[in-house]
CSV table of all heavy atoms in Angstrom, one decimal:
chain,number,residue,atom,x,y,z
B,185,TRP,N,-0.9,26.2,0.0
B,185,TRP,CA,-2.0,25.3,-0.2
B,185,TRP,C,-2.6,25.9,-1.6
B,185,TRP,O,-2.9,25.2,-2.6
B,185,TRP,CB,-3.0,25.4,0.8
B,185,TRP,CG,-4.0,24.3,0.7
B,185,TRP,CD1,-5.3,24.6,0.1
B,185,TRP,CD2,-4.1,23.0,0.8
B,185,TRP,NE1,-6.1,23.5,0.0
B,185,TRP,CE2,-5.4,22.5,0.5
B,185,TRP,CE3,-3.2,22.1,1.6
B,185,TRP,CZ2,-5.7,21.1,0.7
B,185,TRP,CZ3,-3.5,20.8,1.6
B,185,TRP,CH2,-4.7,20.3,1.2
B,186,VAL,N,-3.0,27.2,-1.5
B,186,VAL,CA,-3.6,27.8,-2.6
B,186,VAL,C,-2.7,27.8,-3.9
B,186,VAL,O,-3.1,27.4,-4.9
B,186,VAL,CB,-3.9,29.2,-2.4
B,186,VAL,CG1,-4.4,30.0,-3.6
B,186,VAL,CG2,-4.9,29.4,-1.2
B,187,GLY,N,-1.4,27.9,-3.7
B,187,GLY,CA,-0.4,28.0,-4.9
B,187,GLY,C,-0.3,26.6,-5.5
B,187,GLY,O,-0.5,26.4,-6.8
B,188,ILE,N,-0.3,25.5,-4.6
B,188,ILE,CA,-0.2,24.1,-5.1
B,188,ILE,C,-1.6,23.8,-5.9
B,188,ILE,O,-1.5,23.3,-7.0
B,188,ILE,CB,0.0,23.2,-4.0
B,188,ILE,CG1,1.5,23.4,-3.5
B,188,ILE,CG2,-0.1,21.7,-4.5
B,188,ILE,CD1,1.7,22.5,-2.2
B,189,SER,N,-2.6,24.2,-5.4
B,189,SER,CA,-4.0,23.8,-6.0
B,189,SER,C,-4.0,24.5,-7.3
B,189,SER,O,-4.4,23.9,-8.3
B,189,SER,CB,-5.1,24.4,-5.1
B,189,SER,OG,-5.0,23.8,-3.8
B,190,ARG,N,-3.5,25.7,-7.4
B,190,ARG,CA,-3.6,26.4,-8.7
B,190,ARG,C,-2.7,25.8,-9.6
B,190,ARG,O,-3.0,25.6,-10.7
B,190,ARG,CB,-3.1,28.0,-8.5
B,190,ARG,CG,-4.2,28.9,-8.0
B,190,ARG,CD,-3.7,30.2,-8.0
B,190,ARG,NE,-3.4,30.7,-9.4
B,190,ARG,CZ,-4.3,31.4,-10.1
B,190,ARG,NH1,-5.5,31.6,-9.6
B,190,ARG,NH2,-3.9,31.8,-11.3
B,191,GLU,N,-1.4,25.5,-9.2
B,191,GLU,CA,-0.4,25.0,-10.2
B,191,GLU,C,-0.8,23.5,-10.6
B,191,GLU,O,-0.5,23.1,-11.6
B,191,GLU,CB,0.9,24.8,-9.4
B,191,GLU,CG,1.5,26.2,-9.2
B,191,GLU,CD,1.7,26.9,-10.5
B,191,GLU,OE1,2.4,26.4,-11.5
B,191,GLU,OE2,1.2,28.1,-10.6
B,192,LEU,N,-1.7,22.9,-9.8
B,192,LEU,CA,-2.0,21.6,-10.1
B,192,LEU,C,-3.1,21.6,-11.2
B,192,LEU,O,-3.6,20.5,-11.7
B,192,LEU,CB,-2.4,20.6,-8.9
B,192,LEU,CG,-1.2,20.1,-8.0
B,192,LEU,CD1,-1.9,19.4,-6.9
B,192,LEU,CD2,-0.4,19.3,-8.9
B,193,ARG,N,-3.7,22.6,-11.3
B,193,ARG,CA,-4.9,22.7,-12.2
B,193,ARG,C,-4.8,22.3,-13.7
B,193,ARG,O,-5.5,21.5,-14.2
B,193,ARG,CB,-5.5,24.2,-12.2
B,193,ARG,CG,-7.0,24.3,-11.9
B,193,ARG,CD,-7.5,25.5,-11.9
B,193,ARG,NE,-7.5,26.1,-10.6
B,193,ARG,CZ,-7.8,27.4,-10.2
B,193,ARG,NH1,-7.8,28.3,-11.1
B,193,ARG,NH2,-7.7,27.8,-8.9
B,194,PRO,N,-3.6,22.7,-14.3
B,194,PRO,CA,-3.4,22.2,-15.7
B,194,PRO,C,-3.3,20.6,-15.6
B,194,PRO,O,-3.9,20.0,-16.6
B,194,PRO,CB,-2.0,22.7,-16.0
B,194,PRO,CG,-1.8,23.9,-15.2
B,194,PRO,CD,-2.6,23.7,-13.8
B,195,LEU,N,-2.7,20.1,-14.6
B,195,LEU,CA,-2.8,18.5,-14.6
B,195,LEU,C,-4.0,18.0,-14.5
B,195,LEU,O,-4.4,16.9,-15.2
B,195,LEU,CB,-1.9,18.1,-13.4
B,195,LEU,CG,-1.3,16.8,-13.5
B,195,LEU,CD1,-0.3,16.7,-14.6
B,195,LEU,CD2,-0.4,16.6,-12.1
B,196,THR,N,-4.9,18.6,-13.7
B,196,THR,CA,-6.3,18.1,-13.5
B,196,THR,C,-7.0,18.3,-14.8
B,196,THR,O,-7.8,17.3,-15.2
B,196,THR,CB,-7.0,18.9,-12.5
B,196,THR,OG1,-6.1,19.2,-11.4
B,196,THR,CG2,-8.3,18.3,-12.0
Side-chain angles (χ1 to χ4, degrees):
W185 187 267
V186 172
I188 292 172
S189 303
R190 277 183 68 90
E191 289 302 305
L192 284 178
R193 233 179 263 166
L195 203 61
T196 319

